[in-house]
Amino acid sequence: MVLELQKPRPIWQIMFSTHHTDVGLLYTITSLTFFFMGGALALGIRAELFYPGTQIISDSMTFNRMFTVHGTTLIFLFLLPFASAVGNYFVPIMVRYKDMAYPKLNAVAFWMIPPGGALIWLGFADFTWYATPPYSAISAPGPAADMWIFAQKILGVSSILGAINFIVTILKCKHPDLPLSKAPLLAWSFLSSSLIIIVAVPTFAAALVMLLTDRLGVSGFFDPAKGGDPIAYQHLFWFTFHPEVYVLVIPAIGMMYEIIPRFSRKPIFSHGSGIFAFVMLSIVAFSSWAHHMYSTGMSFTEKTVFMIGTLAAVPASAMHVFNFLATMWGGRIKFATPMMWAVGGIALFFSAGAGGVANSAMPFDFITHDTYWVVGHFHLFVMGTIAFGSIGFLYYMFPYITGRMYNEAAGKAHFIMSFVGTVMVFFTQHVLGLYGMPRRVFDYMPLPEYIVMNQIASVGAMIIGASMVIWIINMIYSSAKGKEANMEDPWGLGGKYYFPHQAKNPHH
């Protein structure tokens, strides 16, 4: 594979390679770097909220900047690039092609991410990752806000280039003997999510141009003083970013489709229903964006339409969960580290999905809107499902990348601490929301219920942080000193699904 620590290559050879495994490695390292940077900001936020009043962050503006960069980093600089890392590594192998369809374009898409990340971190904008007007259009201080907007433009172009590459690679470059209906479900997950990107992202790109021209004073699309409508921005934003949630979760589900049959030592229960569910999710992803906007004055009929559209995602999501459970049923399951992360991700996916069903109900939404319930729901989905699937798959990729095995005990400790911490943080935030605590606040009333639950959430966050330290030490140490992996069957499972370690590494 790529890293080949037994035969190390100069770093510049990897950096300037256009081979899909090298680009996948660059995506992996970059996304994990941003994961730890964004996670550090989250720990700072939770430490500040441990007690009411000012603790370690000097003022509310700094707090706003921290959670803006935290959210932007983990969504756009960790989750999306990590999915691209997995896709670059495995999609060409799975469709039996020598590389991505456009290798140079693939490298260009990656190299747009570091400057995008630099703009976000150097600017440190303060208007949340929503950039909601009128504040973002009128008052948000520059150049931080402008740097954030330019960064989003760059990252959006990168996503579209990557999506085009995945679509062409899967549809046009797959081996003639491989029918599309027989392609692995991980490849199908990238095909589905790439189609969503192509449809959704240009809408937000247009919104960003309108926002920037508003800030420059040459237009007033979202400025009420000039006849603009801030609600219009929210429609454009959520038309992109509700489907974008599916862009994040669909590859994570695809990763679970690789792990669960492998460690259950059974074929997937129903390959066809997995494909159908991916296609359904790609369609219904666009039918629910306005459920974020029940409280903005929509008519009852419009709200009802989008409530039904939101619920339409439930059967497709349930189909995936049923597939996972039916695959495990009767299997000879080996709970190695990747399998533990995948099973934990399924459990939390179910929990987050149940919260999503509750959110789709109009009366409940009016109670929980802009409270910590929403924070808990979204983070349970992102951390509990998407990050769990991604981290589990990184353990799965580890021997194929390095030729060595990670420390299994440390991997399991990482999972257990992360699972406990995730439940403590995000389940508690659901309850905080029901008690009425608003989100995005620097300080809160010194009510006993608020204090206790914020402290439980903060302790949970610290447990997750400690588990991530174990993880990074395990990864670094095992890369150099870990036991050499049996590349034919690293976990002793028997059987073979495909042979990523046999992928050659031509440099071009």
Side-chain angles (χ1 to χ4, degrees):
M1 284 292 275
V2 177
L3 200 52
E4 289 183 353
L5 291 178
Q6 293 172 330
K7 298 178 181 177
R9 290 181 285 149
I11 186 66
W12 59 264
Q13 196 175 81
I14 297 175
M15 290 178 66
F16 297 106
S17 168
T18 60
H19 191 255
H20 70 99
T21 52
D22 283 340
V23 177
L25 182 63
L26 293 173
Y27 267 116
T28 304
I29 294 171
T30 303
S31 62
L32 291 181
T33 301
F34 281 117
F35 172 74
F36 284 100
M37 293 168 68
L41 291 179
L43 293 181
I45 292 168
R46 285 313 321 170
E48 171 58 39
L49 295 173
F50 193 83
Y51 286 115
T54 302
Q55 305 302 320
I56 62 169
I57 300 174
S58 59
D59 54 69
S60 59
M61 179 64 78
T62 305
F63 182 85
N64 291 343
R65 291 180 185 278
M66 286 179 65
F67 77 71
T68 296
V69 177
H70 155 72
T72 307
T73 298
L74 290 181
I75 292 173
F76 300 103
L77 300 173
F78 164 58
L79 292 174
L80 284 171
F82 185 79
S84 296
V86 173
N88 268 279
Y89 251 102
F90 286 91
V91 166
I93 295 169
M94 289 180 166
V95 300
R96 302 183 212 164
Y97 191 61
K98 60 184 178 182
D99 206 328
M100 296 292 285
Y102 308 114
K104 292 181 180 176
L105 195 66
N106 197 32
V108 169
F110 165 74
W111 281 108
M112 298 179 82
I113 292 175
L119 284 172
I120 289 168
W121 275 79
L122 292 174
F124 239 67
D126 68 336
F127 48 27
T128 80
W129 75 274
Y130 298 78
T132 307
Y135 177 72
S136 61
I138 302 172
S139 307
D146 307 294
M147 292 168 73
W148 187 93
I149 293 171
F150 273 110
Q152 290 299 323
K153 299 293 289 185
I154 293 171
L155 296 174
V157 172
S158 169
S159 293
I160 290 174
L161 294 179
I164 292 171
N165 225 340
F166 281 125
I167 292 170
V168 176
T169 303
I170 295 168
L171 295 183
K172 294 295 183 183
C173 301
K174 66 179 179 62
H175 195 279
D177 292 340
L178 177 67
L180 187 59
S181 61
K182 300 295 182 186
L185 288 169
L186 181 61
W188 266 99
S189 72
F190 280 96
L191 179 61
S192 306
S193 59
S194 297
L195 290 171
I196 296 176
I197 289 173
I198 296 293
V199 176
V201 171
T203 303
F204 186 56
L208 287 176
V209 172
M210 296 158 77
L211 183 62
L212 185 60
T213 55
D214 276 10
R215 289 183 55 80
L216 296 173
V218 296
S219 65
F221 294 108
F222 309 125
D223 184 354
K226 296 180 180 178
D229 183 5
I231 301 299
Y233 175 88
Q234 293 190 36
H235 278 292
L236 296 172
F237 179 89
W238 286 117
F239 181 81
T240 297
F241 283 102
H242 193 78
E244 191 79 3
V245 173
Y246 292 88
V247 170
L248 301 174
V249 75
I250 286 176
I253 294 173
M255 296 173 205
M256 293 178 187
Y257 270 121
E258 284 300 307
I259 294 171
I260 289 171
R262 188 89 171 92
F263 288 86
S264 300
R265 293 180 253 210
K266 281 179 62 186
I268 192 70
F269 174 73
S270 172
H271 188 272
S273 68
I275 295 174
F276 179 76
F278 279 138
V279 174
M280 283 298 295
L281 282 178
S282 303
I283 296 171
V284 301
F286 292 94
S287 67
S288 52
W289 88 85
H291 79 228
H292 293 273
M293 304 172 64
Y294 285 158
S295 59
T296 59
M298 297 167 62
S299 71
F300 180 78
T301 303
E302 290 169 329
K303 292 174 190 172
T304 304
V305 168
F306 282 103
M307 186 175 75
I308 295 170
T310 303
L311 292 174
V314 174
S317 302
M319 204 174 293
H320 287 306
V321 173
F322 180 79
N323 242 347
F324 293 142
L325 298 180
T327 302
M328 288 189 282
W329 187 268
R332 294 184 298 120
I333 299 174
K334 182 169 185 175
F335 281 104
T337 301
M339 186 64 170
M340 294 180 73
W341 282 94
V343 172
I346 294 169
L348 297 176
F349 179 49
F350 184 83
S351 304
V357 172
N359 289 343
S360 68
M362 285 181 275
F364 189 80
D365 180 83
F366 278 99
I367 296 172
T368 59
H369 186 75
D370 268 344
T371 70
Y372 255 89
W373 171 280
V374 180
V375 178
H377 165 67
F378 178 69
H379 281 78
L380 190 60
F381 203 67
V382 171
M383 175 66 191
T385 303
I386 304 170
F388 268 50
S390 300
I391 293 172
F393 202 77
L394 191 67
Y395 277 108
Y396 183 71
M397 294 169 65
F398 188 84
Y400 294 127
I401 295 175
T402 64
R404 296 178 182 273
M405 288 301 290
Y406 56 83
N407 183 289
E408 188 69 33
K412 289 178 176 175
H414 177 205
F415 165 76
I416 292 170
M417 291 173 68
S418 295
F419 189 85
V420 171
T422 298
V423 170
M424 288 178 67
V425 179
F426 304 123
F427 280 57
T428 306
Q429 288 181 340
H430 280 76
V431 182
L432 260 177
L434 294 178
Y435 270 87
M437 179 167 167
R439 61 174 171 168
R440 303 169 184 153
V441 290
F442 172 58
D443 195 5
Y444 54 88
M445 291 186 293
L447 301 176
E449 295 85 357
Y450 281 12
I451 295 172
V452 169
M453 284 188 280
N454 271 294
Q455 290 178 344
I456 292 172
S458 295
V459 170
M462 300 307 164
I463 292 173
I464 295 174
S467 76
M468 296 302 166
V469 173
I470 294 173
W471 183 34
I472 192 66
I473 293 173
N474 190 11
M475 294 291 102
I476 293 173
Y477 180 82
S478 299
S479 297
K481 301 290 185 181
K483 178 184 174 184
E484 288 194 12
N486 172 10
M487 299 303 286
E488 297 294 325
D489 187 10
W491 291 276
L493 299 169
K496 298 168 186 173
Y497 282 74
Y498 49 83
F499 312 95
H501 63 284
Q502 292 178 353
K504 302 303 178 186
N505 194 28
H507 304 298
H508 54 77

